[in-house]
Amino acid sequence: MHLGSTDRLEIFSDGVIAIAITLLVLDVRVPVAKDGALFHDLVSHWTSYVAYALSFAVVGIIWVAHHSMFEHIATADRGLLFWNLALLAGIAFVPFPTSLLAEYAHDGGRNAQVATAVYSATMTVIGLAFLAIWMHLARHPELLGEDADAANLRRSIKRSLVSPIVYGLTIGLAFVSPPACLAVYALLAVYLAGGPASRALVAKPFAAVRAAATGERTPKPSGDGARSSDPLP
C-alpha cells in the first residue's frame, strides 16, 4: 500500500536527527575549577570533546546518507515508514552511549570497555536499520524514483553491510582495546561519508559508461535475455 511522497517522512526524520545531534553538546560541560586549574581541568575532560566530535561526525554522516538515500525514493509505503522509525530510534539513542564514552573512556578498565561496547552496539543497530531499508526497497523496487536502477539494489545492499559488520566486530574489540575502537569508528566514518550504497544505486553499467566515453551506442540485450554488465563499484 503506497502512501504517497516521502516529504513528511523526510521532514520528520530531519527533526529527529537535528534534536539528537544537538543533545550531544550537553556532555561538554564547564568544569568547576580552582584558581589557576582551569587549563588542567579542561584537558582532563578530553574524552568529552572526543566523544562529542565523534558522534557529531557520525550523526552528520547518517543524515547525509539518509538524505542521499531518499533522493532516489519516490514514494513510501507502511513498511518503509516503520523501518525508518527503527532507524530514527537508533539515532535518537546516540546521545546516551556518547555520554557513557565521555564519562568512562578516560578511566580505562572494565567501565571503558563496557561504554565502548554499548556505543558499538548502538551503531550496529543503526547500520542494521539502514540495511533493512535497502532490503525493503529490493522487495519493493516500485518505490524508487526514475533515476534509480532497481538492478543495482543488490550492490547497494552489499555496501550497506559494511557498517553493521564492522561496528558489530568492534563490540568484541571494545573488550580488548577501546582506543582501537575509536580508530575504527573514524576510518568507518570516512568510508561512509562517500555514500557508497546510494552511489551504487544510480551507477551505470560498465557498457553504458564505455559507450558514453567512446561515443558508441550502448549494446542492447540479446534476444536470449542476457543481462547487461554489472554496474560500476
Side-chain angles (χ1 to χ4, degrees), residues 39-157:
F39 179 77
H40 175 271
D41 287 351
L42 286 172
V43 173
S44 66
H45 287 77
W46 66 270
T47 52
S48 296
Y49 316 138
V50 172
Y52 169 76
L54 175 65
S55 291
F56 190 96
V58 168
V59 176
I61 291 170
I62 290 172
W63 176 76
V64 173
H66 188 273
H67 176 72
S68 298
M69 172 188 284
F70 277 87
E71 277 188 329
H72 309 303
I73 301 175
T75 58
D77 61 6
R78 293 183 68 85
L80 182 61
L81 294 181
F82 280 114
W83 284 123
N84 190 72
L85 281 176
L87 173 64
L88 295 179
I91 296 171
F93 191 73
V94 170
F96 175 69
T98 302
S99 297
L100 292 179
L101 279 183
E103 185 69 25
Y104 295 107
H106 66 282
D107 293 340
R110 190 69 172 181
N111 286 344
Q113 294 172 350
V114 172
T116 308
V118 172
Y119 193 93
S120 295
T122 302
M123 295 304 166
T124 301
V125 170
I126 292 174
L128 289 173
F130 264 118
L131 176 62
I133 293 176
W134 284 116
M135 294 181 68
H136 182 78
L137 292 174
R139 292 191 298 271
H140 302 278
E142 69 276 5
L143 299 178
L144 295 172
E146 295 181 355
D147 63 331
D149 188 348
N152 289 344
L153 279 168
R154 178 180 294 183
R155 182 154 294 187
S156 293
I157 290 172

